[in-house]
Amino acid sequence: MARTGRRPGTTQTREEILRAAREQFADLGYDGATIRGIARAAGVDPALVHHYFGAKQRVFIAAMRLPFNPADEVRAIMADREHDHAESILRFFLRMWDDPQSRDPMLALVRSATSHDKAAEAVRGFMNDLVVHHISKELGLPPLRAAMIGSQLFGIVLLRYVVGVEVVRSADTEEIVAMYAPAIRAVIEDGDPARPTA
Amino acid sequence: MARTGRRPGTTQTREEILRAAREQFADLGYDGATIRGIARAAGVDPALVHHYFGAKQRVFIAAMRLPFNPADEVRAIMADREHDHAESILRFFLRMWDDPQSRDPMLALVRSATSHDKAAEAVRGFMNDLVVHHISKELGLPPLRAAMIGSQLFGIVLLRYVVGVEVVRSADTEEIVAMYAPAIRAVIEDGDPARPTA
């Protein structure tokens, strides 16, 4: 009475791949790690890694247990014409970071990236790949401009969740959205003045 | 042929006070440390600590070897009616962080605050005191709004100097100023629509 169509051993194989991926990212950085190398370290065919996870970016997300793929979320938000994009990005981001279950793996990654050079190398490559090749395309903005939105979001991460500055830590989500969305909108809209605002 | 009017032993006494301050901030956090306690640990009169450094905030800045007092800089920028305040804040902040000599002590503090609970406690209290009691007054904004400007600035710190995401790390200062100043202006001006823009 299997609940899914997965064959026995599938979960174990996936975990083997993710364990190998974590090692490869830690040892070689994001840019140095390859699907081929991860597959070799896990003792599986590269096609299987691709079948389970997709591109390297998605392998990294699964390996680090990140709760979502930022590029997928930004795509969904930009496709929604009924809500203000800046507010939606901010509200989604705060929801993910306010919930301890989704926050913990992200916080672990940020902490390790700020204190260990090897971890920084992996996060640096992952974020650059994500911004330059994915987020900027979803937003229709140049890479640096897309990164400036990421900068605004990770500033909140630093003050609210990492350092925990009281006035930011205790602020109501909607209070932050009301104050900060115009700032995010300023970066989005200056890059494309023709974009509708809501 | 002394260059200054300081008596012999002054430099040594100052260093003793700063060493004691670093220990007290590390042991008790920012809120727990007191001028009186620092003086006692240094074996001097509290009035001497105040004479050399001023309020606790300034003792912290000196103890951590921070290159400037953010409140003083914001006051000077806001008093200047000839330049756009958002651009001036951003340009000053990037100049301090781009120069390794002023960057190193700030970076050390950010790194320790993101990886050690004790250091986080000290930085957390310092930043809250600074934002709530000083920066917000200099800007004429509510504390949370002042903190949201800090959030935007520290987002750049995280991406450009700590993690070193390539697209942000390699960006020209003036390119960042041009893209990011409108976002900082949005937070400043929404809090006070009557403020002149330049």
Side-chain angles (χ1 to χ4, degrees):
Chain A
M1 295 278 285
R3 278 171 182 264
T4 75
R6 285 182 189 160
R7 285 164 301 177
T10 295
T11 305
Q12 201 186 325
T13 306
R14 284 173 62 97
E15 283 306 315
E16 273 298 303
I17 293 169
L18 293 180
R19 190 195 48 72
R22 278 189 289 275
E23 282 182 18
Q24 296 278 305
F25 286 125
D27 290 350
L28 307 171
Y30 183 82
D31 296 332
T34 60
I35 297 278
R36 184 170 295 275
I38 291 166
R40 194 183 315 118
V44 302
D45 193 271
L48 194 65
V49 178
H50 199 272
H51 169 74
Y52 279 152
F53 302 103
K56 182 162 72 171
Q57 180 202 129
R58 291 178 190 276
V59 178
F60 185 88
I61 288 167
M64 300 305 162
R65 302 189 181 87
L66 299 183
F68 63 96
N69 181 328
D72 294 344
E73 295 303 329
V74 170
R75 185 181 314 118
I77 286 168
M78 297 308 283
D80 175 359
R81 299 250 149 211
E82 283 182 32
H83 296 92
D84 178 81
H85 296 150
E87 287 185 12
S88 296
I89 288 171
L90 203 42
R91 210 168 265 131
F92 172 78
F93 191 81
L94 289 169
R95 193 168 68 241
M96 287 295 111
W97 276 91
D98 277 342
D99 178 352
Q101 208 174 339
S102 42
R103 177 175 62 228
D104 286 352
M106 297 192 289
L107 194 54
L109 199 63
V110 169
R111 277 191 203 282
S112 67
T114 53
S115 48
H116 305 295
D117 283 351
K118 280 286 183 188
E121 207 178 314
V123 171
R124 180 186 306 144
F126 167 68
M127 287 185 77
N128 204 58
D129 179 26
L130 196 64
V131 166
V132 172
H133 298 117
H134 301 273
I135 305 273
S136 71
K137 283 188 185 119
E138 302 297 346
L139 290 169
L141 297 175
L144 180 60
R145 196 169 278 279
M148 289 295 105
I149 294 170
S151 161
Q152 292 178 294
L153 297 175
F154 278 96
I156 295 186
V157 167
L158 198 68
L159 266 60
R160 186 173 170 93
Y161 309 101
V162 179
V163 176
V165 177
E166 186 54 25
V167 68
V168 183
R169 199 196 57 73
S170 63
D172 181 76
T173 304
E174 284 305 312
E175 207 179 353
I176 294 178
V177 171
M179 269 184 205
Y180 216 58
I184 291 181
R185 207 176 293 132
V187 179
I188 294 179
E189 285 171 13
D190 269 27
D192 178 5
R195 184 183 301 280
T197 52
Chain B
M1 295 280 285
R3 279 170 180 267
T4 74
R6 285 182 190 158
R7 285 165 300 177
T10 295
T11 306
Q12 200 185 327
T13 305
R14 284 174 62 98
E15 282 308 313
E16 273 299 304
I17 293 170
L18 294 179
R19 190 197 47 72
R22 278 189 290 275
E23 280 182 20
Q24 297 278 305
F25 286 126
D27 289 350
L28 307 171
Y30 183 81
D31 296 331
T34 60
I35 297 278
R36 184 170 296 275
I38 291 166
R40 196 183 313 119
V44 301
D45 192 90
L48 194 66
V49 178
H50 199 272
H51 169 73
Y52 280 154
F53 303 105
K56 183 160 74 170
Q57 182 203 126
R58 292 179 190 275
V59 178
F60 185 89
I61 288 167
M64 301 304 162
R65 302 189 181 87
L66 300 184
F68 62 96
N69 182 327
D72 294 343
E73 294 304 329
V74 170
R75 184 181 315 120
I77 287 168
M78 298 308 282
D80 175 0
R81 300 250 149 212
E82 284 182 33
H83 296 93
D84 178 82
H85 297 149
E87 286 185 12
S88 295
I89 288 171
L90 202 43
R91 211 168 266 131
F92 173 78
F93 192 83
L94 289 169
R95 191 168 70 240
M96 287 296 111
W97 277 90
D98 277 343
D99 177 351
Q101 206 174 340
S102 43
R103 176 175 65 231
D104 286 350
M106 300 192 288
L107 194 55
L109 199 62
V110 169
R111 278 190 202 281
S112 67
T114 54
S115 49
H116 305 296
D117 283 351
K118 280 286 184 190
E121 209 178 312
V123 172
R124 179 188 307 143
F126 168 68
M127 286 184 78
N128 203 61
D129 178 26
L130 197 65
V131 167
V132 172
H133 298 119
H134 301 273
I135 305 274
S136 71
K137 283 188 186 121
E138 302 298 346
L139 291 169
L141 297 175
L144 182 59
R145 196 170 279 278
M148 289 294 105
I149 295 170
S151 161
Q152 292 179 295
L153 297 176
F154 278 95
I156 294 185
V157 167
L158 198 69
L159 266 60
R160 185 171 170 94
Y161 308 100
V162 179
V163 176
V165 177
E166 186 54 26
V167 68
V168 183
R169 200 196 57 74
S170 63
D172 181 76
T173 303
E174 284 304 312
E175 206 179 353
I176 294 178
V177 171
M179 269 185 204
Y180 216 57
I184 290 180
R185 209 175 292 132
V187 178
I188 294 178
E189 285 171 12
D190 270 27
D192 178 6
R195 187 184 299 282
T197 51

